[in-house]
Amino acid sequence: MTTPENLSLEQKASLTSGADFWTTKAIDSAGVPSLMLTDGPHGLRKQAEASDHLGLNASVPATCFPPAAALGSTFDPELAERVGVALGIESAIEDVAVILGPGINIKRSPLCGRNFEYVSEDPLLSGGIGAGLVRGIQSQGVGSSLKHFAANNQEDDRMRSSSDVDPRTLREIYLRGFERVVKDAQPWTVMCSYNRINGVYASEDPWLLTQVLRDEWGFDGLVVSDWGAVDDRVAALAAGLDLEMPYSGGETDAEIVAAVRDGGLAEDVLDTAAQRVLDLVAKAQERPPVPGPLDVDAHHALAREVAGRSIVLLKNEGALLPLAPEVSIAVIGEFARTPRYQGGGSSHINPTRIDTALDAFRDVAGDRVAFAPGFTFDGADAEALRDEAVVLAAQRDVVVLFLGLPDAEESEGFDRAHLDLPAVQRELVDAVVAVNPRTIVVLSNGAVVTLPFAEKVPAIVEAWLLGQAGGSATVDVLTGAVNPSGRLAETIPHRLEDTPAFGSFPGSFGHVRYSEGIFVGYRWYDARRMEVAFPFGHGLSYTTFSYGEPTAAVNADGDIVVSLAVANTGNRDGREVVQVYVAPESSAVERAPRELKAFASVEVPAGSRREVELVVRREDLAYWDIRVDRFVVEGGSYRVEVAASSRDIRGAISVEVGGDEVRLPLTAHSSITEVLAHPVVGPVVAQQLAAMREQADGAMDAGIMGDEAIMKMMASFPIGRMAGFPGMGIDRAQVDQLIAAAAAADAAR
């Protein structure tokens, strides 16, 4: 077995960068083969000939599954795992060692051009779906690459921009999903992002790549750069970045060799990185050859199932959906004939086939369906096409109007400028509804759009980008062959100005301030009691569900086990996504009114009920305490809500949770509140304060202010300042004695 000790300095350095765009270097004399890494994450993008990173050149046919924006709406890690298994199979057939995905960056702003590749605005949901994908991929002997690590939340200036984010926000929002995937699924590789974090490139940040990822989370795999993310190769290697991609022409290998020889880089650092590459090679070689052929039909069927599960029914007034079997249907909108099923850039998959909604409608409804394009993607012939669509709409019982974002408005490499649908489409909605109010809007988009017509139309279907089988899956839902069960993984706001990052996105002069802090997505809207178009977690069904009274108890591990019954009170089989939101009833720090802490997608037959048990992990209750630089669970009462969305709470219960001890060393700057909390000196100070209150006069007279008001005023008073005020009952020597007594008690613990 080859080890770094068997290799020359030059050979070890060669292992730490690519041989070309997609493969690692082989060392034939040492029996080390080359590995192929290639793009995902919602399908295999293995380029057959010329290589690039933006999806410009052709790749081998592969199943295009629904991108993460859609998959996240399933709220189902087990379904994500099945997709991962399929991705692993297709990668294995093509002898790909690592597929680059999943991407789980937080949707900080709906304007991010790459949001279609990401799961959610919530880290728990992102981590759960991401872990499912990783487990599935790696079950087939293929590695995954968790990306983009970290705080990569925009495309604008993505190669240089610094995400300036405070430690608590970084830990609770932007790292927490990555932590969940690493701990639960151990991806073979983690891909660092392009951006800087608080001024330091992610590719050369030892705090991020070594201290957090390896020392704290226990990651034991390989860290690979995003393609072209390395600014200083020697600094990156020292920070913990093992493999630079793509090929650098040998230039950075030579830099590493020179740094080792001149003493600027310890050789054991290079040995560690080389060993991780060798370990990855060994893992990949354990998989036996998979000859294929790919079962194209089976994977297409899975893509259709997942797409159907991803669709979110936003609105359905008058039970207009599912479509009655006898109605005549005007299908309007170019997206019905020319579907947009994935985003642009490095994740662009060459699908094995494409289903269109128009073809699927014709298969189901025959001559009851008529079509008008309504618009073109470039805005040409707008008036004539709109007039044609209006005539057709007036002649039919129901209109199904397909709207969405064209490719030119949503892609890797740039961000959106606004949240609106194209003007030609908005004008088409108004014209069609004027002649036929029985209009159903179906959306094709990789991230949310504003819905100014939401009050005008009776039904809205959020169909995202659904992969190659999205057209047939959409018709499955519209006709009732599939009962919709998708839920929004991101809030739909009324306007861009309402969104959390408005005013600090995308930043300027190479910096973007994460000024909203932990209040991302629904946390922001709920904390401000702000109206939204449709809330996080929302989604309707063709049946109805009732929730029983929840119970909650803390188990031996400190987790909260939540139990309830869910009944299907309608006449159709259905699937309900039960969500658990939790918040402490009081806190020492600013907290969101509620945070998603558990969820389950539960299938319930018509007229039946299911007992559902959800587990809220104790670690997910914690906030990042900047005083001690670690996660801390506050003790006390927590409100546990079971819900159908963040704004549809079906039941609530309180549960007592034991807290983690946080004992800070007392100093002269410690507040009275902090001193009183100390088990040794607290009672002493409390006694002194009681005596002081008895002697109070003037403005401190308890008869004027009252004890409660006095204590509120004194709560943040530094203990050291008390010595400077006559009548406080304590001098500087006593303050020093109290601090010394506290230090001695802490040391004796």
Side-chain angles (χ1 to χ4, degrees):
M1 182 177 180
T2 303
T3 65
E5 289 74 22
N6 306 135
L7 302 175
S8 68
L9 177 60
E10 288 77 10
Q11 287 174 321
K12 288 185 290 190
S14 75
L15 288 176
T16 67
S17 68
D20 54 27
F21 209 84
W22 295 119
T23 64
T24 63
K25 294 190 185 79
I27 304 178
D28 294 332
S29 61
V32 179
S34 173
L35 298 181
M36 171 169 278
L37 300 82
T38 197
D39 272 324
H42 55 271
L44 179 67
R45 192 176 80 92
K46 178 184 178 183
Q47 292 183 299
E49 296 177 5
S51 299
D52 72 90
H53 193 45
L54 293 176
L56 303 177
N57 295 317
S59 54
V60 300
T63 309
C64 181
F65 290 96
L71 185 60
S73 286
T74 69
F75 276 66
D76 193 340
E78 292 181 1
L79 185 63
E81 186 168 348
R82 290 174 57 201
V83 173
V85 168
L87 294 173
I89 290 171
E90 297 197 23
S91 299
I93 289 172
E94 293 291 339
D95 197 25
V96 169
V98 177
I99 183 171
L100 304 180
I104 64 163
N105 294 92
I106 292 295
K107 298 183 180 186
R108 175 177 179 249
S109 168
L111 293 178
C112 176
R114 210 168 180 178
N115 273 355
F116 62 86
E117 279 192 59
Y118 302 143
V119 175
S120 177
E121 67 190 24
D122 182 83
L124 184 85
L125 179 57
S126 297
I129 295 294
L133 284 166
V134 170
R135 282 192 296 267
I137 292 167
Q138 295 186 172
S139 71
Q140 303 305 302
V142 173
S144 63
S145 193
L146 183 65
K147 64 182 189 180
H148 305 87
F149 191 60
N152 179 191
N153 309 106
Q154 64 188 59
E155 293 298 284
D156 184 84
D157 202 18
R158 64 176 176 163
M159 304 289 283
R160 303 176 304 170
S161 180
S162 175
S163 301
D164 296 339
V165 52
D166 69 88
R168 183 180 168 205
T169 299
L170 187 59
R171 290 285 192 161
E172 291 187 28
I173 302 297
Y174 296 100
L175 296 183
R176 211 164 201 165
F178 286 97
E179 182 177 6
R180 171 61 62 94
V181 179
V182 168
K183 289 183 174 179
D184 283 8
Q186 277 294 339
W188 287 10
T189 76
V190 167
M191 180 191 292
C192 84
S193 53
Y194 287 123
N195 55 291
R196 294 177 291 151
I197 301 171
N198 295 322
V200 180
Y201 278 107
S203 62
E204 53 193 67
D205 189 343
W207 173 83
L208 182 72
L209 302 183
T210 298
Q211 180 181 323
V212 173
L213 181 61
R214 296 190 184 279
D215 298 343
E216 295 183 21
W217 297 353
F219 177 66
D220 62 2
L222 175 141
V223 176
V224 60
S225 73
D226 202 342
W227 268 231
V230 174
D231 184 63
D232 182 327
R233 182 64 187 114
V234 174
L237 191 72
L241 188 134
D242 307 304
L243 176 61
E244 176 193 16
M245 291 297 289
Y247 179 51
S248 67
E251 181 178 334
T252 57
D253 296 352
E255 291 174 359
I256 291 170
V257 170
V260 171
R261 285 186 171 148
D262 68 18
L265 179 71
E267 188 166 0
D268 62 352
V269 172
L270 173 59
D271 289 347
T272 297
Q275 184 62 63
R276 289 173 183 153
V277 176
L278 293 171
D279 290 343
L280 181 64
V281 170
K283 284 182 182 177
Q285 286 183 303
E286 290 175 1
R287 186 193 73 237
V290 181
L294 172 65
D295 190 337
V296 172
D297 292 340
H299 281 206
H300 185 78
L302 176 60
R304 181 171 179 171
E305 177 189 351
V306 176
R309 292 274 306 279
S310 302
I311 291 171
V312 182
L313 179 59
L314 296 178
K315 182 179 180 182
N316 190 24
E317 286 185 355
L320 185 56
L321 291 172
L323 295 169
E326 70 279 1
V327 297
S328 61
I329 307 166
V331 174
I332 296 174
E334 186 58 43
F335 287 104
R337 179 172 64 181
T338 311
R340 181 164 179 258
Y341 54 92
Q342 63 179 329
S346 62
S347 68
H348 196 87
I349 310 303
N350 178 16
T352 58
R353 68 180 67 162
I354 294 291
D355 293 353
T356 74
L358 182 57
D359 288 342
F361 257 131
R362 286 170 171 163
D363 289 343
V364 171
D367 58 9
R368 289 190 291 111
V369 172
F371 171 72
F375 57 85
T376 59
F377 295 137
D378 61 6
D381 303 319
E383 185 175 356
L385 290 173
R386 182 169 61 248
D387 291 345
E388 177 193 15
V390 167
V391 170
L392 177 62
Q395 297 171 348
R396 297 283 162 155
D397 297 330
V398 175
V399 176
V400 181
L401 182 55
F402 286 80
L403 308 176
L405 295 175
D407 282 327
E409 294 197 21
E410 195 174 36
S411 173
E412 177 182 357
F414 58 87
D415 294 319
R416 293 159 64 192
H418 54 77
L419 295 183
D420 301 327
L421 290 169
V424 66
Q425 296 184 36
R426 302 196 305 272
E427 293 164 2
L428 178 63
V429 175
D430 292 340
V432 166
V433 172
V435 299
N436 191 336
R438 290 169 56 82
T439 295
I440 301 151
V441 171
V442 179
L443 299 168
S444 297
N445 48 299
V448 297
V449 295
T450 52
L451 305 172
F453 49 80
E455 298 302 318
K456 300 177 185 178
V457 299
I460 305 175
V461 175
E462 177 54 87
W464 305 116
L465 306 181
L466 291 176
Q468 67 181 54
S472 54
T474 301
V475 174
D476 287 342
V477 168
L478 294 173
T479 59
V482 169
N483 192 349
S485 62
R487 300 293 185 267
L488 288 177
E490 53 190 299
T491 307
I492 302 180
H494 283 300
R495 56 186 198 139
L496 175 62
E497 290 81 358
D498 294 340
T499 60
F502 181 76
S504 60
F505 179 98
S508 57
F509 304 120
H511 288 269
V512 53
R513 293 182 304 108
Y514 283 48
S515 56
E516 69 282 359
I518 65 167
F519 294 99
V520 176
Y522 67 90
R523 291 165 169 81
W524 169 270
Y525 301 107
D526 288 354
R528 282 152 185 76
R529 300 181 182 179
M530 187 181 294
E531 290 297 317
V532 299
F534 295 98
F536 176 87
H538 170 74
L540 304 177
S541 171
Y542 296 150
T543 189
T544 53
F545 297 94
S546 68
Y547 288 38
E549 286 295 320
T551 63
V554 178
N555 67 15
D557 295 326
D559 301 334
I560 302 175
V561 180
V562 182
S563 301
L564 72 153
V566 176
N568 183 336
T569 54
N571 57 10
R572 287 177 178 265
D573 295 346
R575 182 179 288 273
E576 176 73 342
V577 174
V578 181
Q579 301 156 49
V580 174
Y581 295 87
V582 182
E585 299 199 16
S586 65
S587 178
V589 296
E590 194 174 31
R591 305 284 283 258
R594 61 187 53 83
E595 294 183 304
L596 183 71
K597 296 303 179 187
F599 55 89
S601 179
V602 184
E603 194 167 5
V604 189
S608 299
R609 55 185 280 152
R610 287 277 307 275
E611 296 295 328
V612 183
E613 184 176 281
L614 304 98
V615 177
V616 176
R617 299 185 190 182
R618 176 180 172 82
E619 64 197 60
D620 291 330
L621 300 175
Y623 75 94
W624 186 260
D625 190 330
I626 60 173
R627 301 170 303 169
V628 293
D629 212 27
R630 63 179 171 87
F631 275 111
V632 170
V633 176
E634 291 184 285
S637 180
Y638 283 72
R639 181 176 172 84
V640 178
E641 299 172 331
V642 294
S645 82
S646 65
R647 296 282 175 95
D648 185 3
I649 310 302
R650 300 295 182 89
I653 191 170
S654 293
V655 62
E656 290 293 321
V657 173
D660 297 334
E661 183 180 29
V662 178
R663 187 177 297 182
L664 301 174
L666 293 187
T667 70
H669 298 289
S670 297
S671 70
I672 296 296
T673 298
E674 292 165 344
V675 173
L676 289 173
H678 195 280
V680 174
V681 304
V684 176
V685 174
Q687 186 176 14
Q688 290 173 312
L689 288 174
M692 178 196 73
R693 288 199 300 271
E694 291 177 1
Q695 301 172 5
D697 56 17
M700 297 294 290
D701 189 344
I704 297 174
M705 296 186 66
D707 285 352
E708 184 178 350
I710 291 174
M711 290 311 298
K712 283 184 178 179
M713 184 183 73
M714 295 291 295
S716 60
F717 204 94
I719 186 71
R721 306 284 178 86
M722 290 183 68
F725 283 77
M728 285 292 189
I730 187 171
D731 57 28
R732 293 189 185 277
Q734 289 173 309
V735 170
D736 292 341
Q737 289 171 2
L738 289 171
I739 292 170
D746 292 343
R749 288 172 55 220

